[in-house]
Amino acid sequence: MRKIFDFHTHAYPAKVAGKSVDFLDNYYKVSCNGDGTMEDLLKSAKEGGVDYLLVHAVATKPTQVENVNTWISEHLSENVFGFGTIHPEYENIKEELKRIRSLGLLGLKLHPDFQGYFVDDPSMDIVYSDIEGKMPVLIHSGDVNTDFSSPKRLANVLDRFPNLTVIAAHLGGYSEWDQAERFIIGRNCYIDTSSSLWAIPPEKAVSIIRKHGVNRVLFGTDFPLARHSEELERFFALGLTEEENNKILFENANNLLNLHLR
Ligand SMILES: [Zn+2]
């Protein structure tokens, strides 16, 4: 049986999950299909037949950085992996990046729109240069309403940090897929499929995936935005080959994170 790895999920501590989901609904004018808790995330994955999860959380303020990283690390298991968070205004960036590694977190997640900086801002150089060659970074990319995380700015980061392992979320640029094709697709980075397949025609998604190269594409649900069963349904409807499915759903994630899962 093929294993399935969801590279892009979110969960929040129970007391803020409701508020976080409301915020996402309002901000993106969507309707989340999960309640945002770790319990619901695990339930959704189980119902959808998903074996492994990578969980992300984002500190929108520098004061939240340590608590968020500690919270994620407390929820790791055989099947649940995590990325940490950092903020350019946080005081001890290098120390916290070290602590993130020591907590067993495998990479970093950045959300420039929610965290309030341009992805290519020089204040982020300390982060990129510290993790370059050491840990991957998943970066929210694209938002037609702001310029913080535009594909064009992300391309500047790829230019300046050629050995940084970047995963550009949402097929390289949420709501800016044309810009993503122009600046990100085919570049030296990974992309994930999250929060995209409901928004663009399947033919366009397939063309982006193949143009970028199936070895550097990762399946993601962006839970609680989508539940696993519905996102997998959309993914399989793309009609990719069995070999392409295997890579995107499992092998690429397993290799990228060096997990040796079977
Ligand atoms: Zn995300």
Side-chain angles (χ1 to χ4, degrees), residues 139-144 149-155 158 168-192 194-196 200 204-205 207-209 211-212:
I139 306 181
H140 171 93
S141 176
D143 186 339
V144 277
S149 65
S150 66
K152 187 166 190 240
R153 287 187 182 276
L154 183 56
L158 299 179
H170 321 309
L171 294 180
Y174 176 77
S175 67
E176 298 189 85
W177 287 283
D178 291 334
Q179 293 297 306
E181 283 205 75
R182 187 160 160 217
F183 293 107
I184 298 298
I185 299 309
R187 292 290 314 264
N188 57 328
C189 65
Y190 290 77
I191 58 172
D192 80 35
S194 69
S195 285
S196 303
I200 56 175
K204 188 175 168 91
S207 139
I208 290 174
I209 287 168
K211 194 167 149 197
H212 189 65

Short mmCIF file of all heavy atoms in Angstrom, two decimals, residues 139-144 149-155 158 168-192 194-196 200 204-205 207-209 211-212:
data_model
loop_
_atom_site.label_atom_id
_atom_site.label_comp_id
_atom_site.label_asym_id
_atom_site.label_seq_id
_atom_site.Cartn_x
_atom_site.Cartn_y
_atom_site.Cartn_z
N ILE A 139 7.79 28.31 2.78
CA ILE A 139 7.40 29.73 2.78
C ILE A 139 6.05 29.90 2.10
O ILE A 139 5.87 29.48 0.95
CB ILE A 139 8.46 30.59 2.06
CG1 ILE A 139 9.84 30.36 2.68
CG2 ILE A 139 8.07 32.07 2.13
CD1 ILE A 139 10.96 31.19 2.07
N HIS A 140 5.10 30.50 2.84
CA HIS A 140 3.85 30.86 2.19
C HIS A 140 4.19 31.80 1.04
O HIS A 140 4.89 32.78 1.22
CB HIS A 140 2.88 31.56 3.15
CG HIS A 140 1.70 32.11 2.41
ND1 HIS A 140 0.54 31.40 2.25
CD2 HIS A 140 1.54 33.26 1.70
CE1 HIS A 140 -0.29 32.11 1.49
NE2 HIS A 140 0.29 33.24 1.14
N SER A 141 3.66 31.50 -0.14
CA SER A 141 3.96 32.34 -1.29
C SER A 141 2.67 32.78 -1.96
O SER A 141 1.77 31.98 -2.19
CB SER A 141 4.83 31.53 -2.26
OG SER A 141 5.07 32.27 -3.43
N GLY A 142 2.57 34.06 -2.26
CA GLY A 142 1.48 34.59 -3.07
C GLY A 142 0.29 35.12 -2.30
O GLY A 142 -0.20 34.50 -1.36
N ASP A 143 -0.12 36.33 -2.66
CA ASP A 143 -1.34 36.94 -2.15
C ASP A 143 -1.57 38.18 -3.01
O ASP A 143 -0.82 39.15 -2.91
CB ASP A 143 -1.17 37.34 -0.67
CG ASP A 143 -2.48 37.85 -0.07
OD1 ASP A 143 -3.36 38.26 -0.84
OD2 ASP A 143 -2.60 37.82 1.17
N VAL A 144 -2.60 38.13 -3.85
CA VAL A 144 -2.83 39.27 -4.76
C VAL A 144 -3.02 40.58 -4.00
O VAL A 144 -2.81 41.65 -4.56
CB VAL A 144 -4.06 39.09 -5.67
CG1 VAL A 144 -3.73 38.26 -6.88
CG2 VAL A 144 -5.24 38.52 -4.93
N SER A 149 4.78 38.45 0.17
CA SER A 149 5.24 37.10 -0.17
C SER A 149 5.11 36.82 -1.66
O SER A 149 4.85 35.70 -2.07
CB SER A 149 4.43 36.07 0.60
OG SER A 149 3.06 36.11 0.18
N SER A 150 5.27 37.85 -2.49
CA SER A 150 5.05 37.65 -3.92
C SER A 150 6.09 36.71 -4.52
O SER A 150 7.23 36.64 -4.05
CB SER A 150 5.09 39.00 -4.65
OG SER A 150 6.39 39.54 -4.57
N PRO A 151 5.70 35.95 -5.54
CA PRO A 151 6.65 35.05 -6.20
C PRO A 151 7.92 35.77 -6.66
O PRO A 151 9.01 35.22 -6.57
CB PRO A 151 5.85 34.52 -7.40
CG PRO A 151 4.42 34.59 -6.95
CD PRO A 151 4.33 35.81 -6.10
N LYS A 152 7.75 37.01 -7.10
CA LYS A 152 8.92 37.77 -7.57
C LYS A 152 9.91 38.01 -6.43
O LYS A 152 11.13 37.87 -6.60
CB LYS A 152 8.44 39.11 -8.14
CG LYS A 152 9.52 39.90 -8.81
CD LYS A 152 8.94 41.03 -9.64
CE LYS A 152 10.05 41.65 -10.47
NZ LYS A 152 10.26 43.04 -10.22
N ARG A 153 9.39 38.37 -5.26
CA ARG A 153 10.28 38.59 -4.11
C ARG A 153 10.90 37.27 -3.64
O ARG A 153 12.07 37.22 -3.25
CB ARG A 153 9.51 39.24 -2.95
CG ARG A 153 9.18 40.69 -3.19
CD ARG A 153 8.58 41.32 -1.93
NE ARG A 153 8.23 42.70 -2.16
CZ ARG A 153 9.08 43.73 -2.05
NH1 ARG A 153 10.33 43.50 -1.70
NH2 ARG A 153 8.69 44.95 -2.29
N LEU A 154 10.11 36.20 -3.69
CA LEU A 154 10.68 34.91 -3.29
C LEU A 154 11.81 34.51 -4.23
O LEU A 154 12.82 33.94 -3.80
CB LEU A 154 9.56 33.84 -3.27
CG LEU A 154 10.01 32.46 -2.80
CD1 LEU A 154 10.64 32.53 -1.40
CD2 LEU A 154 8.84 31.49 -2.78
N ALA A 155 11.66 34.85 -5.51
CA ALA A 155 12.73 34.55 -6.48
C ALA A 155 14.02 35.27 -6.09
O ALA A 155 15.12 34.73 -6.28
CB ALA A 155 12.28 34.94 -7.88
N LEU A 158 15.74 33.10 -3.63
CA LEU A 158 16.38 31.95 -4.29
C LEU A 158 17.68 32.38 -4.97
O LEU A 158 18.66 31.64 -4.96
CB LEU A 158 15.43 31.33 -5.33
CG LEU A 158 14.11 30.77 -4.81
CD1 LEU A 158 13.27 30.20 -5.96
CD2 LEU A 158 14.31 29.70 -3.75
N ALA A 168 8.17 26.44 -1.80
CA ALA A 168 7.24 27.54 -2.08
C ALA A 168 5.83 26.96 -2.04
O ALA A 168 5.46 26.15 -2.88
CB ALA A 168 7.54 28.16 -3.44
N ALA A 169 5.06 27.37 -1.03
CA ALA A 169 3.74 26.76 -0.83
C ALA A 169 2.77 27.16 -1.94
O ALA A 169 3.00 28.12 -2.68
CB ALA A 169 3.19 27.19 0.52
N HIS A 170 1.69 26.39 -2.03
CA HIS A 170 0.56 26.73 -2.91
C HIS A 170 0.97 26.83 -4.39
O HIS A 170 0.68 27.82 -5.05
CB HIS A 170 -0.10 28.02 -2.43
CG HIS A 170 -0.20 28.13 -0.93
ND1 HIS A 170 -0.73 27.11 -0.16
CD2 HIS A 170 0.18 29.10 -0.06
CE1 HIS A 170 -0.67 27.46 1.12
NE2 HIS A 170 -0.11 28.65 1.20
N LEU A 171 1.67 25.80 -4.88
CA LEU A 171 2.14 25.78 -6.27
C LEU A 171 2.90 27.05 -6.63
O LEU A 171 2.82 27.55 -7.74
CB LEU A 171 0.99 25.54 -7.26
CG LEU A 171 0.28 24.17 -7.19
CD1 LEU A 171 -0.85 24.09 -8.23
CD2 LEU A 171 1.26 23.01 -7.42
N GLY A 172 3.62 27.58 -5.64
CA GLY A 172 4.52 28.71 -5.90
C GLY A 172 3.91 30.08 -5.73
O GLY A 172 4.65 31.07 -5.72
N GLY A 173 2.59 30.18 -5.58
CA GLY A 173 2.03 31.53 -5.40
C GLY A 173 0.52 31.57 -5.34
O GLY A 173 -0.13 31.75 -6.37
N TYR A 174 0.00 31.44 -4.13
CA TYR A 174 -1.45 31.46 -3.94
C TYR A 174 -2.07 32.71 -4.58
O TYR A 174 -1.60 33.84 -4.34
CB TYR A 174 -1.79 31.44 -2.44
CG TYR A 174 -3.27 31.55 -2.18
CD1 TYR A 174 -4.10 30.45 -2.36
CD2 TYR A 174 -3.84 32.75 -1.78
CE1 TYR A 174 -5.46 30.55 -2.15
CE2 TYR A 174 -5.20 32.86 -1.56
CZ TYR A 174 -6.01 31.76 -1.75
OH TYR A 174 -7.35 31.86 -1.56
N SER A 175 -3.10 32.51 -5.37
CA SER A 175 -3.83 33.58 -6.07
C SER A 175 -2.97 34.37 -7.06
O SER A 175 -3.40 35.36 -7.62
CB SER A 175 -4.54 34.53 -5.08
OG SER A 175 -3.60 35.27 -4.33
N GLU A 176 -1.74 33.94 -7.24
CA GLU A 176 -0.84 34.59 -8.22
C GLU A 176 -0.13 33.51 -9.03
O GLU A 176 1.10 33.54 -9.17
CB GLU A 176 0.21 35.44 -7.50
CG GLU A 176 -0.37 36.57 -6.67
CD GLU A 176 0.73 37.50 -6.15
OE1 GLU A 176 1.14 38.40 -6.88
OE2 GLU A 176 1.17 37.29 -5.02
N TRP A 177 -0.93 32.56 -9.54
CA TRP A 177 -0.29 31.40 -10.19
C TRP A 177 0.44 31.78 -11.48
O TRP A 177 1.41 31.13 -11.86
CB TRP A 177 -1.30 30.28 -10.39
CG TRP A 177 -1.62 29.64 -9.07
CD1 TRP A 177 -0.83 28.75 -8.39
CD2 TRP A 177 -2.76 29.86 -8.24
NE1 TRP A 177 -1.42 28.42 -7.18
CE2 TRP A 177 -2.60 29.08 -7.07
CE3 TRP A 177 -3.91 30.65 -8.37
CZ2 TRP A 177 -3.55 29.05 -6.04
CZ3 TRP A 177 -4.85 30.63 -7.35
CH2 TRP A 177 -4.67 29.83 -6.20
N ASP A 178 -0.02 32.84 -12.16
CA ASP A 178 0.70 33.27 -13.36
C ASP A 178 2.07 33.84 -13.00
O ASP A 178 3.07 33.57 -13.67
CB ASP A 178 -0.11 34.31 -14.15
CG ASP A 178 -1.35 33.67 -14.78
OD1 ASP A 178 -1.32 32.45 -15.03
OD2 ASP A 178 -2.34 34.40 -15.00
N GLN A 179 2.09 34.61 -11.93
CA GLN A 179 3.37 35.15 -11.44
C GLN A 179 4.27 34.01 -10.95
O GLN A 179 5.48 34.04 -11.15
CB GLN A 179 3.13 36.13 -10.29
CG GLN A 179 2.41 37.40 -10.69
CD GLN A 179 3.24 38.22 -11.68
OE1 GLN A 179 4.38 38.54 -11.41
NE2 GLN A 179 2.66 38.51 -12.83
N ALA A 180 3.66 33.02 -10.33
CA ALA A 180 4.44 31.86 -9.85
C ALA A 180 5.09 31.17 -11.05
O ALA A 180 6.27 30.81 -11.00
CB ALA A 180 3.54 30.90 -9.09
N GLU A 181 4.34 31.00 -12.13
CA GLU A 181 4.91 30.34 -13.32
C GLU A 181 6.07 31.15 -13.88
O GLU A 181 7.05 30.60 -14.37
CB GLU A 181 3.83 30.17 -14.40
CG GLU A 181 2.89 29.03 -14.08
CD GLU A 181 2.23 28.46 -15.34
OE1 GLU A 181 2.91 27.74 -16.11
OE2 GLU A 181 1.05 28.77 -15.54
N ARG A 182 5.93 32.45 -13.78
CA ARG A 182 6.97 33.31 -14.34
C ARG A 182 8.24 33.31 -13.47
O ARG A 182 9.35 33.27 -13.99
CB ARG A 182 6.39 34.73 -14.43
CG ARG A 182 7.27 35.68 -15.13
CD ARG A 182 6.50 36.90 -15.63
NE ARG A 182 7.46 37.97 -15.85
CZ ARG A 182 7.24 39.24 -15.60
NH1 ARG A 182 6.07 39.64 -15.16
NH2 ARG A 182 8.19 40.12 -15.83
N PHE A 183 8.08 33.33 -12.15
CA PHE A 183 9.25 33.56 -11.29
C PHE A 183 9.73 32.34 -10.48
O PHE A 183 10.87 32.30 -10.05
CB PHE A 183 8.96 34.70 -10.31
CG PHE A 183 8.81 36.04 -10.97
CD1 PHE A 183 7.56 36.63 -11.08
CD2 PHE A 183 9.91 36.70 -11.50
CE1 PHE A 183 7.41 37.86 -11.71
CE2 PHE A 183 9.79 37.92 -12.11
CZ PHE A 183 8.53 38.51 -12.23
N ILE A 184 8.85 31.37 -10.24
CA ILE A 184 9.20 30.28 -9.33
C ILE A 184 9.28 28.91 -10.02
O ILE A 184 10.19 28.12 -9.74
CB ILE A 184 8.16 30.21 -8.17
CG1 ILE A 184 8.18 31.51 -7.35
CG2 ILE A 184 8.43 29.00 -7.27
CD1 ILE A 184 9.50 31.82 -6.67
N ILE A 185 8.32 28.67 -10.89
CA ILE A 185 8.24 27.34 -11.50
C ILE A 185 9.49 27.06 -12.35
O ILE A 185 9.87 27.88 -13.18
CB ILE A 185 6.94 27.20 -12.32
CG1 ILE A 185 5.74 27.37 -11.39
CG2 ILE A 185 6.88 25.87 -13.06
CD1 ILE A 185 5.76 26.49 -10.13
N GLY A 186 10.11 25.91 -12.07
CA GLY A 186 11.35 25.55 -12.76
C GLY A 186 12.60 26.01 -12.04
O GLY A 186 13.71 25.64 -12.41
N ARG A 187 12.43 26.81 -10.97
CA ARG A 187 13.59 27.26 -10.21
C ARG A 187 14.07 26.17 -9.24
O ARG A 187 13.42 25.16 -9.06
CB ARG A 187 13.24 28.54 -9.41
CG ARG A 187 12.97 29.78 -10.25
CD ARG A 187 14.25 30.30 -10.91
NE ARG A 187 15.38 30.36 -9.98
CZ ARG A 187 15.75 31.46 -9.30
NH1 ARG A 187 15.09 32.57 -9.45
NH2 ARG A 187 16.80 31.42 -8.49
N ASN A 188 15.19 26.46 -8.55
CA ASN A 188 15.78 25.48 -7.64
C ASN A 188 15.07 25.45 -6.29
O ASN A 188 15.63 25.83 -5.26
CB ASN A 188 17.27 25.79 -7.44
CG ASN A 188 17.46 27.20 -6.89
OD1 ASN A 188 16.68 28.11 -7.19
ND2 ASN A 188 18.48 27.39 -6.07
N CYS A 189 13.83 25.02 -6.30
CA CYS A 189 13.07 24.93 -5.05
C CYS A 189 12.01 23.85 -5.20
O CYS A 189 11.80 23.33 -6.29
CB CYS A 189 12.41 26.28 -4.72
SG CYS A 189 11.16 26.78 -5.91
N TYR A 190 11.35 23.53 -4.09
CA TYR A 190 10.19 22.65 -4.11
C TYR A 190 8.93 23.51 -4.14
O TYR A 190 8.97 24.69 -3.78
CB TYR A 190 10.15 21.78 -2.85
CG TYR A 190 11.25 20.73 -2.78
CD1 TYR A 190 12.55 21.09 -2.43
CD2 TYR A 190 10.97 19.40 -3.05
CE1 TYR A 190 13.56 20.12 -2.36
CE2 TYR A 190 11.97 18.44 -2.98
CZ TYR A 190 13.26 18.81 -2.63
OH TYR A 190 14.25 17.86 -2.56
N ILE A 191 7.83 22.92 -4.55
CA ILE A 191 6.52 23.57 -4.40
C ILE A 191 5.59 22.57 -3.72
O ILE A 191 5.84 21.36 -3.77
CB ILE A 191 5.91 24.03 -5.75
CG1 ILE A 191 5.75 22.84 -6.73
CG2 ILE A 191 6.74 25.13 -6.38
CD1 ILE A 191 4.99 23.19 -8.00
N ASP A 192 4.55 23.07 -3.04
CA ASP A 192 3.54 22.12 -2.54
C ASP A 192 2.19 22.41 -3.20
O ASP A 192 2.00 23.46 -3.81
CB ASP A 192 3.49 22.08 -1.01
CG ASP A 192 2.72 23.22 -0.35
OD1 ASP A 192 1.72 23.68 -0.92
OD2 ASP A 192 3.12 23.64 0.76
N SER A 194 -0.79 22.56 -1.78
CA SER A 194 -1.87 22.95 -0.88
C SER A 194 -2.60 24.21 -1.32
O SER A 194 -2.02 25.09 -1.98
CB SER A 194 -1.31 23.15 0.54
OG SER A 194 -0.48 24.29 0.57
N SER A 195 -3.87 24.31 -0.93
CA SER A 195 -4.71 25.48 -1.20
C SER A 195 -4.57 26.01 -2.62
O SER A 195 -4.44 27.22 -2.84
CB SER A 195 -4.38 26.60 -0.20
OG SER A 195 -4.94 26.28 1.05
N SER A 196 -4.55 25.14 -3.57
CA SER A 196 -4.44 25.53 -4.97
C SER A 196 -5.41 24.76 -5.85
O SER A 196 -5.98 25.32 -6.79
CB SER A 196 -3.02 25.26 -5.50
OG SER A 196 -2.06 25.91 -4.74
N ILE A 200 -7.74 26.49 -9.17
CA ILE A 200 -7.35 26.59 -10.58
C ILE A 200 -7.80 25.33 -11.32
O ILE A 200 -7.99 24.27 -10.71
CB ILE A 200 -5.82 26.78 -10.75
CG1 ILE A 200 -5.03 25.66 -10.06
CG2 ILE A 200 -5.40 28.14 -10.21
CD1 ILE A 200 -3.54 25.74 -10.31
N LYS A 204 -4.36 23.22 -15.54
CA LYS A 204 -3.33 24.22 -15.19
C LYS A 204 -2.43 23.70 -14.07
O LYS A 204 -1.20 23.86 -14.12
CB LYS A 204 -3.99 25.54 -14.79
CG LYS A 204 -2.98 26.68 -14.60
CD LYS A 204 -3.70 28.00 -14.33
CE LYS A 204 -2.75 29.08 -13.86
NZ LYS A 204 -2.21 29.89 -14.97
N ALA A 205 -3.06 23.03 -13.09
CA ALA A 205 -2.27 22.46 -11.99
C ALA A 205 -1.29 21.41 -12.52
O ALA A 205 -0.12 21.40 -12.15
CB ALA A 205 -3.20 21.86 -10.94
N SER A 207 -0.08 21.15 -15.51
CA SER A 207 0.96 21.78 -16.31
C SER A 207 2.02 22.43 -15.41
O SER A 207 3.22 22.30 -15.65
CB SER A 207 0.30 22.79 -17.28
OG SER A 207 1.04 23.96 -17.37
N ILE A 208 1.59 23.08 -14.33
CA ILE A 208 2.56 23.68 -13.39
C ILE A 208 3.42 22.59 -12.76
O ILE A 208 4.65 22.70 -12.69
CB ILE A 208 1.82 24.49 -12.29
CG1 ILE A 208 1.19 25.76 -12.88
CG2 ILE A 208 2.77 24.84 -11.14
CD1 ILE A 208 0.32 26.55 -11.90
N ILE A 209 2.77 21.51 -12.32
CA ILE A 209 3.49 20.42 -11.64
C ILE A 209 4.54 19.80 -12.57
O ILE A 209 5.70 19.60 -12.19
CB ILE A 209 2.49 19.35 -11.15
CG1 ILE A 209 1.70 19.89 -9.95
CG2 ILE A 209 3.18 18.03 -10.82
CD1 ILE A 209 0.49 19.05 -9.55
N LYS A 211 5.80 21.10 -15.36
CA LYS A 211 6.80 22.09 -15.77
C LYS A 211 7.86 22.26 -14.67
O LYS A 211 9.05 22.38 -14.95
CB LYS A 211 6.08 23.42 -16.04
CG LYS A 211 6.89 24.45 -16.79
CD LYS A 211 5.97 25.59 -17.26
CE LYS A 211 6.75 26.89 -17.31
NZ LYS A 211 5.86 28.08 -17.35
N HIS A 212 7.40 22.23 -13.41
CA HIS A 212 8.35 22.39 -12.31
C HIS A 212 9.20 21.13 -12.14
O HIS A 212 10.37 21.22 -11.78
CB HIS A 212 7.61 22.71 -11.01
CG HIS A 212 8.53 23.09 -9.90
ND1 HIS A 212 9.29 24.23 -9.92
CD2 HIS A 212 8.85 22.45 -8.74
CE1 HIS A 212 10.03 24.29 -8.83
NE2 HIS A 212 9.78 23.23 -8.09
#
